[in-house]
Amino acid sequence: MAPVLEKQLPGAADNNNEEEEGQDLWTAILSEVSTTSSSKLPSGKNILLFGEDGSGKTALIAKLQGADHNKRGRGLEYMYLNVHDEDRDDLTRCNVWILDGDLYHKGLLKFAVSAQSLPDSLAVFVADMSRPWTIMESLKKWAGVLRDHVDKLKISPEDMREMEQKMVKAFQEYTEPEDAGPTSPLRRAPTAGEDEAVVLPLGDNTLTHNLGIPVLIVCTKCDAVSTLEKEHDYRDEHFDFIQSHIRQFCLQYGAGLIYTSVKEEKNMDLLYKYIVHKMYEFQFTTAALVVEKDAVFIPSGWDNEKKIGILHENLSTVRPDDSFEDFITKPPVRKLVHEKEINAEDEQVFLMKQQSLLSKQPATPTRGATESPGRTASGSPRPAGRAGQPSTTSSSPMAAVKKPDPNMKAGAANEGVLANFFNSLLSKKTGAPGSPGNVAAGAGVQGSAKKTGQNPGLTDVQAELDRMTRKQDSGVSPNNMPTPAENEA
C-alpha cells in the first residue's frame, strides 16, 4: 500500500488533477470541522447550591446570570448559567440546582444529581457573612447532607476511588498563576520525563472529607463587615478567627474560598471565572487574595496549615483552637417596643364624660365655711371693736366692703351696701396706688381735703355717706352682727 500512496501523492499535485486536489481540500476542511465539533463545550454540567434561608443563594446566581431575580423558590429551585467560549465560539448551559434551606427538602437532591451526573457536578456551600455566628454550623450541616446523599448513590467503590484520586491530584498539582504563561492553562501539564513522585504529599488535615467532586465555599453579604464593626464591635481579630476556621474547613474538603457581595458587586466576576475554570477547564490566572478582609479569594490547592498559621499571629484574646461558637457568639436580640397608638376621642363624647364625672362629685365647700370664725384671713385673732369697722390690716380697699347681714331690714341693708360701695370708690381715688386703704384712712384724707377747700360736692357726698353709715350702725344689734367670715368676704 505504501508504494501506491507514494504514487498518488505526486499525482495529486499534477496540474491535470486540479479537481481531485479541490476535493482533498474540502475533505481537510470537513475533517477540521469534525474535529472542532468533538471539542465543543460539554453539556450536562451541574452546580449544587446549599445554604441557609436568606443567605443569598438565589440572588447570587441571578447576579451571575446578569438578571434581576427577586423571586425565591421553594424546595428545589432550578436556574442555569450561560457559558460562552470565545475561542471556540461555542455556547452551552450549566445547570444550577438550589436546595431549600429547610432540611425537610433534602430528599429532593435525587432529582438534581445521580450516580451518572455526580462526576460532572460542583458543590457550592453558601455562608452568610452578615450572620457569622451561623457559618460553621451551616457549613458542617450542608456538607453532611451532601455526604449522606453521595453515600446513598449506587456508585461502585472503584469509580468512587477514581473520583477521589482525581480531586487529590488536582489539589496537589496546583501552581501559582504567576508561573503560568499567558496562553498556558492554570494547571501545569506534566512534561516528558517528569517524575510524579515529586508532588508534595497532602497535609494531615487536607482532603480528609473527600466527596469526589470539587467544592467551593462562597461567603455572601461581605458588605456587612462594616456593620459588624459598628454595631457588634467586631475587630480584625474576629474576622481573622472566622477566616481561619473557614479555611480549615476548606482544607478538609479540598475546597476553594471566595468572599462576595451582590450589593457591592464584589468578586462576582471572579466567582464566575473560577466556576467555569473548575467546570470547563477555562484559563484562570488570578492569584490568591488574602489582604482585604472582605474580599478574600483562595483557590483550591493553594492553602495549607502554615499559611493559615499567619492568621493566628494576630489573635491576642483567643486561641486558634478555641470553639468557634464560644468566641463568635450570637448577639442578644433587641426587643422592639412599639409605642401604643393613641386615638383622640370625639370632643362631644369627652365633654359628656367630664360632665358625668363632675355631677357625681360632692359640692366643694366655700372658703368662709372652712376658716375658723375667730381668726382673720391673715390668721391673727380679730381685735375687739365695732362690728361695722373694717380692719386696718386689709390688703386692698375692697376688703373694707362689708357684707350685709340677711337679718337686717331691707332698707338698712340696701343703704349699707350703697355706703360701702361709695366708700370703696372714695378710697380708690384718695388712697395711694398700690397701698392698702381702709374706710378710716379714706375719711381722714377726705377731712383734710375739706379743710383745704377742695370740691364741696365731695364733702356733701361724704356727709351723706357718714349719715347713712351711722344709721346703719344704729340698726345693728348684737344678734344680727355679721360674722368675721362675712366681713372678710
Side-chain angles (χ1 to χ4, degrees):
M1 295 298 294
V4 176
L5 289 175
E6 291 177 358
K7 291 180 180 180
Q8 288 180 352
L9 289 174
D14 193 3
N15 295 332
N16 297 329
N17 296 328
E18 293 181 357
E19 294 182 359
E20 185 177 352
E21 182 181 0
Q23 292 179 358
D24 292 341
L25 178 62
W26 281 109
T27 302
I29 294 175
L30 292 175
S31 177
E32 182 180 357
V33 172
S34 176
T35 304
T36 305
S37 62
S38 62
S39 62
K40 285 186 177 181
L41 292 175
S43 58
K45 298 284 187 177
N46 299 286
I47 298 177
L48 309 176
L49 214 64
F50 302 87
E52 303 295 328
D53 286 336
S55 60
K57 303 186 297 292
T58 304
L60 185 71
I61 301 301
K63 193 66 177 180
L64 294 178
Q65 282 183 331
D68 295 332
H69 191 282
N70 297 325
K71 297 181 180 180
R72 184 169 64 90
R74 190 69 176 169
L76 184 65
E77 185 178 2
Y78 173 78
M79 300 178 73
Y80 63 88
L81 295 177
N82 288 322
V83 181
H84 182 220
D85 187 359
E86 296 180 355
D87 296 336
R88 302 172 184 173
D89 193 19
D90 190 17
L91 181 68
T92 189
R93 178 175 292 182
C94 181
N95 304 315
V96 180
W97 302 93
I98 305 175
L99 185 64
D100 193 278
D102 190 352
L103 288 177
Y104 175 79
H105 303 285
K106 65 180 182 180
L108 298 176
L109 275 176
K110 62 183 179 181
F111 300 104
V113 58
S114 61
Q116 292 75 22
S117 62
L118 181 64
D120 295 326
S121 301
L122 168 69
V124 178
F125 298 123
V126 177
D128 188 356
M129 186 56 74
S130 65
R131 297 176 293 174
W133 49 87
T134 64
I135 288 179
M136 295 310 302
E137 181 183 359
S138 174
L139 292 178
K140 294 176 182 178
K141 178 178 71 174
W142 295 114
V145 170
L146 181 58
R147 176 83 267 179
D148 294 342
H149 179 72
V150 172
D151 293 341
K152 292 179 181 179
L153 297 177
K154 296 180 180 180
I155 303 177
S156 63
E158 294 78 10
D159 294 341
M160 194 66 200
R161 191 177 303 108
E162 181 181 354
M163 294 170 59
E164 293 176 354
Q165 290 297 327
K166 184 179 179 181
M167 293 298 104
V168 172
K169 184 179 180 181
F171 193 92
Q172 291 177 325
E173 293 182 351
Y174 172 83
T175 57
E176 295 287 347
E178 291 82 4
D179 298 337
T183 59
S184 302
L186 180 60
R187 296 178 184 174
R188 60 179 184 180
T191 58
E194 181 180 4
D195 190 0
E196 296 183 358
V198 299
V199 177
L200 297 177
L202 298 177
D204 295 336
N205 296 323
T206 305
L207 278 173
T208 55
H209 300 72
N210 195 340
L211 295 174
I213 59 175
V215 179
L216 179 61
I217 309 300
V218 179
C219 292
T220 57
K221 303 181 183 180
C222 291
D223 52 278
V225 168
S226 58
T227 304
L228 294 173
E229 292 176 337
K230 295 177 182 178
E231 297 184 0
H232 303 296
D233 196 25
Y234 272 48
R235 303 180 302 275
D236 290 343
E237 183 181 20
H238 291 80
F239 297 111
D240 290 342
F241 185 79
I242 294 171
Q243 185 185 145
S244 66
H245 276 259
I246 297 177
R247 287 169 64 175
Q248 290 282 0
F249 178 87
C250 291
L251 278 183
Q252 296 175 1
Y253 288 86
L257 172 64
I258 184 170
Y259 283 21
T260 64
S261 172
V262 174
K263 182 179 179 180
E264 298 180 355
E265 298 185 0
K266 186 174 297 182
N267 281 350
M268 296 304 300
D269 186 56
L270 181 61
L271 174 62
Y272 175 80
K273 291 181 179 179
Y274 188 72
I275 287 177
V276 297
H277 162 69
K278 299 297 291 184
M279 300 289 288
Y280 302 97
E281 297 184 355
F282 278 20
Q283 181 179 345
F284 187 79
T285 58
T286 303
L289 305 174
V290 293
V291 177
E292 298 182 13
K293 57 188 173 184
D294 58 345
V296 176
F297 169 64
I298 299 176
S300 175
W302 178 87
D303 211 358
N304 54 44
E305 293 285 350
K306 292 183 179 180
K307 294 178 180 178
I308 298 177
I310 299 176
L311 294 174
H312 299 162
E313 298 176 358
N314 301 326
L315 304 180
S316 58
T317 62
V318 64
R319 294 180 299 176
D321 55 350
D322 284 350
S323 175
F324 184 85
E325 289 76 11
D326 292 342
F327 187 63
I328 309 299
T329 58
K330 183 179 179 180
V333 180
R334 298 179 181 177
K335 296 182 179 181
L336 298 177
V337 179
H338 297 282
E339 295 184 359
K340 186 178 181 180
E341 184 178 357
I342 300 177
N343 296 323
E345 60 181 344
D346 185 70
E347 181 180 358
Q348 297 299 324
V349 175
F350 172 77
L351 293 176
M352 292 179 64
K353 289 181 179 179
Q354 299 303 318
Q355 184 181 8
S356 61
L357 292 175
L358 292 174
S359 62
K360 295 178 182 179
Q361 293 180 356
T364 304
T366 59
R367 179 181 177 184
T370 59
E371 295 179 351
S372 60
R375 302 180 69 87
T376 60
S378 61
S380 59
R382 185 178 182 86
R386 199 158 50 90
Q389 184 179 358
S391 174
T392 57
T393 60
S394 61
S395 60
S396 64
M398 290 300 295
V401 179
K402 297 187 297 182
K403 185 176 180 181
D405 190 353
N407 296 326
M408 295 174 60
K409 295 181 180 180
N414 292 336
E415 290 179 356
V417 172
L418 290 176
N420 292 334
F421 173 74
F422 285 111
N423 282 330
S424 64
L425 292 179
L426 292 174
S427 299
K428 290 181 181 179
K429 290 181 180 180
T430 58
S435 61
N438 50 49
V439 177
V445 173
Q446 293 165 1
S448 63
K450 184 176 181 181
K451 293 178 182 180
T452 56
Q454 289 184 352
N455 190 357
L458 294 176
T459 58
D460 296 338
V461 172
Q462 182 64 36
E464 181 64 20
L465 290 174
D466 293 339
R467 184 188 63 79
M468 295 173 63
T469 303
R470 287 194 301 270
K471 183 178 180 181
Q472 177 184 351
D473 294 338
S474 63
V476 177
S477 61
N479 295 330
N480 56 10
M481 290 179 62
T483 61
E486 292 174 348
N487 288 334
E488 291 176 2

